[in-house]
Amino acid sequence: MDANQNLEEAVEVLQQLGLKEYEARCFVGLSRLRSGTAKQLSETTEVPRTRVYSAIRMLEAQGLVEIQHSSPQQFRAVPLEEATETLRDQYEARVERLHDALETVEVVDADDESPVQQVWAMTGRDAIENRTNDLVGEATDEIVLVVGNESLLTEDLIDTLNGVGNGVDLLIGALTETLQDRIQTTVPDATTFISGLEWLHGENAARNDTAIGRLLLVDRSALLVSSIMPGTKEEQAIFGEGLGNGLVVIARRLMAQGLLTVRDPKQ
């Protein structure tokens, strides 16, 4: 990625964090200058000079820019570490406000009868990992997890798995001995095994095949299955809860292939 692409990416990320385009461009422009006037900043960023002043005022109000009231005025960005910490605090505060606001929203039931079995689709690695962590954290009896892609065994997931209560059986399947060794080292309380599902193994799959990401069954009632899409490497998943006993039994037996019966606490 060249310098211009890095600058454009920085502008895009700042907009995602809540800055308007001219504000983002002015902040990125000032990050390239020790200090600058409105004229210099306009020439650097191609932001109209008349719009630079309003953008700078907004950036100053957010603690991202300092102003020297000379003639002409000089502007400079605060140090990068300080700016990123300020933006992080603002972002987290917005998330907390959103949570507090939505938590008080009254749920309207369109139908008094809820289906016993529900299956939903999800997209995005962060969202799927959050759902995985939530399900693991809520387990009261048993967790069966098969990791189909080593990149999905993140530090957050490892921390969540290590936080599982003593009364919960934790069974984790891996594709390779190397991954199994890593799981045994990082999650020592888990019973690990090499998955017997041959179609999970990347080396046996064609380049354009969709690869399984993770398989998770919690308390024999909640099932999450994800896949890694070829090309984009985007993770997609289906999630079901309140599933029928027959489906759960089949899913568990498939997922536990490779786990010796004598070591399986639920067989």
Side-chain angles (χ1 to χ4, degrees):
M1 186 178 293
D2 61 27
N4 288 332
Q5 288 176 316
N6 285 332
L7 293 174
E8 287 301 317
E9 183 177 8
V11 169
E12 181 180 347
V13 171
L14 286 168
Q15 288 182 266
Q16 292 172 354
L17 290 172
L19 270 62
K20 295 181 180 179
E21 181 182 358
Y22 285 165
E23 295 167 11
R25 292 195 177 280
C26 283
F27 181 80
V28 171
L30 286 175
S31 70
R32 302 173 62 191
L33 305 170
R34 291 185 180 276
S35 66
T37 64
K39 180 176 183 296
Q40 292 171 324
L41 195 54
S42 178
E43 292 172 349
T44 301
T45 63
E46 297 184 353
V47 173
R49 186 172 176 179
T50 55
R51 303 295 298 275
V52 167
Y53 292 103
S54 59
I56 290 295
R57 283 196 298 271
M58 294 301 299
L59 291 170
E60 182 192 24
Q62 295 184 62
L64 299 175
V65 163
E66 298 172 341
I67 299 177
Q68 184 180 76
H69 294 283
S70 54
S71 182
Q73 288 183 326
Q74 294 280 335
F75 315 120
R76 71 177 184 182
V78 300
L80 179 59
E81 292 76 11
E82 183 179 327
T84 52
E85 187 62 30
T86 297
L87 288 168
R88 183 180 293 110
D89 290 343
Q90 292 175 356
Y91 185 82
E92 291 176 352
R94 292 190 185 104
V95 172
E96 287 297 321
R97 287 173 55 197
L98 173 63
H99 177 271
D100 293 343
L102 291 181
E103 193 175 34
T104 61
V105 173
E106 182 180 355
V107 176
V108 179
D109 292 326
D111 191 343
D112 292 336
E113 296 184 0
S114 298
V116 176
Q117 301 182 20
Q118 301 179 358
V119 177
W120 302 89
M122 303 178 64
T123 299
R125 182 163 298 191
D126 289 343
I128 296 170
E129 180 171 2
N130 288 337
R131 178 62 55 84
T132 299
N133 289 337
D134 288 345
L135 290 172
V136 169
E138 294 169 359
T140 59
D141 182 41
E142 180 192 60
I143 298 166
V144 183
L145 171 65
V146 177
V147 181
N149 188 298
E150 187 169 0
S151 68
L152 301 183
L153 189 65
T154 63
E155 292 300 322
D156 284 345
L157 179 56
I158 290 171
D159 289 342
T160 302
L161 293 170
N162 281 320
V164 171
N166 293 331
V168 179
D169 293 315
L170 179 57
L171 316 175
I172 306 179
L175 298 185
T176 64
E177 291 184 359
T178 301
L179 179 54
Q180 184 186 25
D181 290 342
R182 181 186 170 200
I183 295 171
Q184 287 178 332
T185 300
T186 56
V187 191
D189 292 335
T191 297
T192 64
F193 60 98
I194 299 296
S195 170
L197 298 177
E198 297 300 328
W199 46 270
L200 282 176
H201 294 256
E203 63 267 23
N204 295 332
R207 178 176 298 179
N208 294 326
D209 284 350
T210 300
I212 293 297
R214 67 186 95 201
L215 305 174
L216 175 67
L217 179 63
V218 174
D219 292 339
R220 301 202 178 199
S221 62
L223 176 67
L224 184 147
V225 180
S226 80
S227 57
I228 308 297
M229 305 307 294
T232 65
K233 302 303 180 183
E234 181 181 62
E235 187 176 11
Q236 299 181 351
I238 57 171
F239 164 71
E241 53 188 344
L243 302 175
N245 184 61
L247 176 60
V248 169
V249 169
I250 293 172
R252 190 188 184 285
R253 287 181 179 175
L254 283 172
M255 292 170 64
Q257 283 190 31
L259 178 61
L260 295 176
T261 302
V262 68
R263 299 179 57 199
D264 189 341
K266 295 301 181 180
Q267 289 295 322

